[in-house]
């Protein structure tokens, strides 16, 4: 086992940590080196049935637990995550590839969410309606029931934290399937909750063949809600399965973040923010800034400075101090990005920097150089499909209306960014962009107290903030004469 990969790869079902014991396994690989980190057991249908049974019992226990006790578990888990930061961040870097400082930052996301939901669990209010005397009409919020949650590999700590925190804060039980490619981080997040006193029936963690697991859990009458983060096609597929039983869904899907930079923007300040934000986690972030529309007066200067800054980024194993960008998370990603870049160049894009694999410290790693493509034609595939990689796409624009038209051109609507020093224009931009989140002169578009989610093909429902808890609740009106 690689040094620092200090976790046991097991399923957790109904209080039992379960190893392979004859089950199929999945090889977990370090994307910086290609070395095997461990073998992960994959759940069988019988395992999933056991998890469903536990979730049914766990829901009864947890919905009857006081808000104070729920809060105590979440606060306790947040404290344990703080104490275990070095260990868990290292596991995340080893299995996902992001740099150690990024992994530490991601852990803060889970800590902040647990603390936010701990407090929010005490604020699940209903209301009393005005009725003739003798009648009591109450509008109540109740936990929706057992949740099935599916997480992707790009935020292996924060995403399970987000889904566990909301369900547990709301009083639901949960069966969570973190990514098979980066399982150890999620296992450690769950351990923090269990060590803080979460009853064993309330949360089970399974790994498996994703399609088999999601079909099995969604087909069960025990499951009352699906929460998925991942690609648009898989989200649509799961939403159709969930529709069979009118199951509640939260779908946090892909994006294709437009960035509108106007002539009057503070260019250096914009670049200080947006370049690191672009290459965070090697661009494998659903809210990554991707399509840069830059007003024609500053276009050449912007592309040049962006490129110069990109060329200064250091690449390598995320465990090494001073590295700005690690490898991509799995071998599929460099393959996909290479194909996107080749297609863009074929239709007329100019490679300002990067555009090829490599740049890492090890031959076995899945590295792709940070890339800037300029003058990218709209028909290039990468201008239309989510690239999910370290590529910034640049195009000039002339007018405000043209910029808005371009920003809203695609079926995605997750995150958008605008840079301008004109206050009135900033207000108009905020209203005109079809996106779940808009950053104006900032890349800070999240936070434990702020809703996170998209519109259009990017999904529906919000995570985080009071909205994230609300998404795990149902409303009931009780009229009593
Ligand atoms: P993918 O679509 O096969 O998988 C994306 C995620 O969904 C993975 O974690 C996978 O385990 C899970 N998944 C796939 N099929 C599933 C199913 N039937 N039931 C339940 N879960 C299922 O693609 P990939 O190669 O892993 O990632 C590539 C694409 O996924 C990216 O291009 C990006 O668009 C998208 N993605 C989005 C996010 C996000 O944060 N929104 C995160 C990771 C990946």
């Amino acid at each position: 086992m690689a040094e620092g990969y200090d976790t046991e790869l097991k399923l957790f079902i109904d209080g039992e940590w379960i190893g392979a014991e004859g089950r199929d396994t999945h090889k977990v690989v370090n994307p910086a080196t290609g070395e095997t980190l461990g073998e992960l057991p994959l759940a069988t249908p019988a395992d999933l049935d056991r998890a469903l049974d536990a979730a049914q019992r766990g829901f009864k226990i947890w919905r009857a637990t006081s808000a104070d006790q729920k809060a105590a578990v979440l606060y306790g888990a947040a404290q344990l995550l703080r104490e275990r930061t070095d260990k868990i961040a290292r596991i995340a870097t080893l299995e996902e590839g992001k740099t150690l400082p990024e992994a530490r930052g991601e852990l803060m996301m889970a800590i902040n969410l647990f603390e936010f939901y701990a407090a929010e669990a005490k604020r699940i209010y209903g209301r009393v309606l005005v009725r003739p005397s003798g009648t009591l009409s109450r509008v109540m919020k109740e936990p929706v029931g057992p949740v099935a949650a599916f997480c992707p590999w790009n935020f292996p700590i924060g995403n399970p934290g987000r889904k566990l925190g909301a369900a547990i804060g709301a009083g639901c039980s949960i069966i969570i399937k973190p990514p098979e490619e980066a399982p150890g981080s999620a296992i450690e997040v769950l351990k923090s909750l269990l060590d803080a006193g979460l009853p064993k029936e309330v949360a089970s963690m399974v790994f498996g063949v994703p399609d088999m697991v999601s079909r099995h859990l969604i087909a069960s009458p025990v499951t009352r809600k699906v929460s998925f983060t991942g690609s648009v096609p898989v989200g649509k597929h799961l939403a159709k399965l969930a529709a069979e039983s009118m199951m509640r869904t939260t779908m946090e899907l892909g994006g294709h973040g437009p960035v509108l930079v106007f002539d009057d923007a503070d260019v250096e300040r914009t670049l200080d923010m947006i370049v690191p934000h672009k290459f965070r986690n090697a661009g494998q972030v659903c809210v990554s800034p991707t399509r840069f529309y830059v007003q024609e007066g500053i276009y050449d200067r912007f592309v040049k400075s962006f490129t110069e800054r990109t060329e200064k980024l250091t690449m390598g194993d995320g465990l090494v101090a001073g590295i700005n960008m690690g490898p991509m998370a799995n071998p599929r990603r460099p393959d996909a990005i290479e194909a996107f870049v080749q297609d863009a160049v074929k239709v007329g894009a100019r490679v300002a920097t990067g555009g090829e694999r490599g740049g890492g410290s090890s031959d076995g790693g899945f590295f792709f150089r940070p890339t800037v493509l300029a003058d990218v034609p709209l028909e290039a595939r990468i201008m239309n499909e989510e690239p999910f990689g370290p590529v910034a796409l640049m195009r000039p624009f002339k007018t405000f209306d043209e910029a808005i038209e371009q920003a809203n051109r695609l079926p995605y609507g997750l995150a958008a960014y605008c840079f301008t020093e004109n206050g009135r224009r900033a207000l108009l931009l905020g209203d005109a962009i079809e996106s779940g989140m808009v950053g104006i002169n900032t890349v800070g578009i999240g936070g434990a107290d702020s809703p996170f989610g998209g519109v259009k093909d990017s999904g529906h429902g919000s995570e985080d903030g009071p909205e994230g808890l609300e998404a795990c609740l149902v409303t009931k009106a009780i009229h009593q004469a």
Side-chain angles (χ1 to χ4, degrees):
M1 186 169 290
E3 197 191 328
Y5 198 65
D6 187 10
T7 188
E8 278 190 281
L9 301 180
K10 290 187 170 173
L11 314 171
F12 182 78
I13 300 175
D14 200 8
E16 193 187 339
W17 289 101
I18 301 170
E21 298 156 22
R23 291 171 180 79
D24 289 345
T25 59
H26 174 89
K27 228 182 250 315
V28 180
V29 167
N30 178 352
T33 61
E35 283 161 8
T36 300
L37 294 168
E39 294 279 345
L40 178 72
L42 302 180
T44 62
D47 291 328
L48 300 178
D49 285 338
R50 214 180 139 201
L52 285 161
D53 179 60
Q56 199 161 23
R57 284 181 281 117
F59 180 51
K60 285 203 185 94
I61 296 168
W62 199 236
R63 69 175 300 178
T65 301
S66 75
D68 278 349
Q69 282 172 281
K70 289 178 188 129
V73 167
L74 287 165
Y75 278 131
Q79 183 53 30
L80 290 173
L81 288 179
R82 254 196 202 93
E83 290 165 13
R84 299 172 185 176
T85 292
D86 286 347
K87 171 184 160 161
I88 303 176
R90 200 177 165 84
I91 291 169
T93 294
L94 279 165
E95 62 187 13
E96 200 272 349
K98 64 180 57 185
T99 66
L100 214 41
E102 282 186 55
R104 285 210 184 88
E106 194 188 330
L107 208 75
M108 279 315 297
M109 171 183 162
I111 291 168
N112 290 340
L113 280 165
F114 280 3
E115 290 181 343
F116 178 81
Y117 283 128
E120 205 62 16
K122 300 183 192 181
R123 291 192 282 261
I124 300 177
Y125 302 131
R127 65 187 203 276
V128 176
L129 304 179
V130 178
R131 288 288 183 273
S133 61
T135 299
L136 176 62
S137 289
R138 292 172 291 150
V139 179
M140 305 297 288
K141 300 281 180 187
E142 298 181 346
V144 60
V147 176
F150 303 91
C151 305
W153 38 262
N154 59 339
F155 283 87
I157 309 167
N159 212 278
R162 170 178 271 168
K163 297 198 189 296
L164 287 162
I168 288 168
C172 299
S173 57
I174 175 167
I175 302 173
I176 186 164
K177 191 196 81 59
E180 288 68 31
E181 282 147 325
S185 312
I187 287 171
E188 295 303 316
V189 173
L190 177 63
K191 272 191 194 154
S192 75
L193 287 159
L194 296 168
D195 292 348
L198 186 75
K200 65 181 175 51
E201 300 85 352
V202 176
S204 289
M205 184 167 280
V206 298
F207 300 93
V209 175
D211 191 52
M212 186 281 271
V213 177
S214 54
R215 279 181 194 277
H216 197 100
L217 296 182
I218 296 173
S220 166
V222 171
T223 309
R224 294 312 315 149
K225 177 185 165 122
V226 178
S227 179
F228 173 75
T229 301
S231 61
V232 173
V234 175
K236 287 184 175 175
H237 162 68
L238 297 187
K240 282 181 198 154
L241 294 180
E244 284 295 321
S245 60
M246 279 297 151
M247 192 175 286
R248 285 278 206 96
T249 53
T250 294
M251 292 287 162
E252 204 274 277
L253 309 179
H256 206 303
V259 185
L260 309 183
V261 188
F262 287 82
D263 276 348
D264 64 355
D266 181 337
V267 172
E268 292 310 310
R269 202 172 152 264
T270 301
L271 290 165
D272 286 346
M273 287 186 269
I274 206 85
V275 175
H277 194 54
K278 169 66 249 180
F279 297 108
R280 179 169 72 119
N281 200 16
Q284 302 163 114
V285 181
C286 54
V287 296
S288 189
T290 296
R291 289 174 291 146
F292 289 76
Y293 295 98
V294 184
Q295 206 160 14
E296 55 187 6
I298 57 165
Y299 178 73
D300 290 338
R301 179 177 149 218
F302 187 90
V303 174
K304 184 166 175 286
S305 295
F306 195 112
T307 303
E308 284 166 3
R309 285 166 184 253
T310 302
E311 285 171 346
K312 289 195 184 120
L313 296 175
T314 52
M315 277 185 85
D317 188 329
L319 290 178
V320 177
I323 291 296
N324 299 127
M325 193 180 100
M328 305 202 74
N330 56 60
R332 297 189 299 283
R333 299 318 308 151
D335 288 353
I337 297 301
E338 189 172 58
F340 274 127
V341 170
Q342 284 171 357
D343 169 78
V345 169
K346 203 162 74 192
V347 295
R350 173 171 66 84
V351 179
T353 188
E356 59 186 12
R357 291 165 193 260
S361 45
S362 143
D363 289 344
F366 315 135
F367 290 92
F368 199 94
R369 290 182 195 280
T371 296
V372 180
L373 297 182
D375 315 332
V376 189
L378 288 182
E379 67 267 30
R381 263 183 57 222
I382 200 166
M383 284 300 282
N384 300 284
E385 297 168 35
E386 182 180 32
F388 222 63
V391 188
L393 310 170
M394 307 274 166
R395 278 183 69 83
F397 73 87
K398 283 193 174 63
T399 64
F400 179 89
D401 288 349
E402 185 191 346
I404 294 294
E405 188 189 325
Q406 286 304 319
N408 294 341
R409 183 177 64 91
L410 297 184
Y412 299 98
L414 189 59
Y417 306 88
C418 313
F419 295 88
T420 176
E421 292 297 305
N422 180 319
R424 177 168 160 70
R425 182 184 291 143
L427 280 173
L428 294 173
L429 284 166
D431 289 342
I433 292 183
E434 296 167 358
S435 185
M437 293 161 282
V438 183
I440 301 177
N441 295 330
T442 180
V443 294
I445 55 165
D449 58 353
S450 176
F452 187 98
V455 297
K456 298 159 73 176
D457 272 8
S458 292
H460 57 244
S462 298
E463 300 194 275
D464 309 353
E467 291 84 357
L469 199 74
E470 183 75 33
C472 292
L473 299 170
V474 285
T475 305
K476 182 192 274 180
I478 306 170
H479 304 276
Q480 181 182 342

